[in-house]
């Protein structure tokens, strides 16, 4: 049986057009992300993009240029994404000169033993 843990990761995004790494799946691990939450705590609307950067070189755009107003939030919790070792979840704020976006995710990380 593999060991697992539940863990929450967060990032605060304060630079326009900067790519922030919200989550990176550890080596020898698979992770199930069951919560993704983002809120705009800045004073102006901002656009948000989320990208799944796969370790195999492919990419999936989870959300592209979604505009959220000040104090608005987005929550995904009715499904999950399975990450493989080295997969990353990236968030990029744009369209606001001084964004302030907080993003968090909760994952279950399952560490693979050497027999897997």
């Amino acid at each position: 049986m593999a060991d697992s843990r539940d863990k929450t990761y967060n990032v605060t995004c304060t630079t326009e057009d900067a790519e922030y790494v919200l989550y990176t799946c550890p080596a020898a691990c698979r992770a199930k992300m069951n919560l993704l939450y983002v809120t705009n705590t800045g004073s102006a609307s901002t656009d948000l993009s989320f990208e799944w950067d796969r370790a195999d070189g492919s990419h999936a755009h989870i959300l592209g240029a979604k505009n959220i107003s000040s104090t608005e939030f987005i929550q995904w919790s009715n499904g999950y994404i399975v990450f493989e070792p080295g997969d990353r979840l990236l968030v990029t704020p744009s369209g606001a000169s001084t964004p302030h976006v907080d993003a968090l995710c909760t994952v279950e990380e399952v560490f693979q033993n050497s027999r897997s």
Side-chain angles (χ1 to χ4, degrees), residues 9 19-27 29 31 33 36 49-62 81-92 105 107 109:
Y9 295 87
E19 188 175 80
Y20 292 84
V21 178
L22 174 56
Y23 179 71
T24 301
C25 186
C29 178
M33 180 178 296
L36 178 60
S49 297
F50 280 88
E51 184 176 339
W52 180 5
D53 181 30
R54 311 267 328 247
D56 67 7
S58 64
H59 305 277
H61 297 278
I62 297 171
I81 299 170
V82 176
F83 290 91
E84 302 292 334
D87 286 1
R88 302 182 310 159
L89 182 61
L90 310 173
V91 58
T92 305
C105 65
V107 298
E109 295 175 331

Side-chain angles (χ1 to χ4, degrees), residues 38-46 68-73 100-102:
V38 59
T39 185
N40 180 2
T41 61
S43 59
S45 294
T46 190
I68 64 171
S69 301
S70 178
T71 71
E72 188 177 6
F73 68 91
H100 192 261
V101 173
D102 292 325

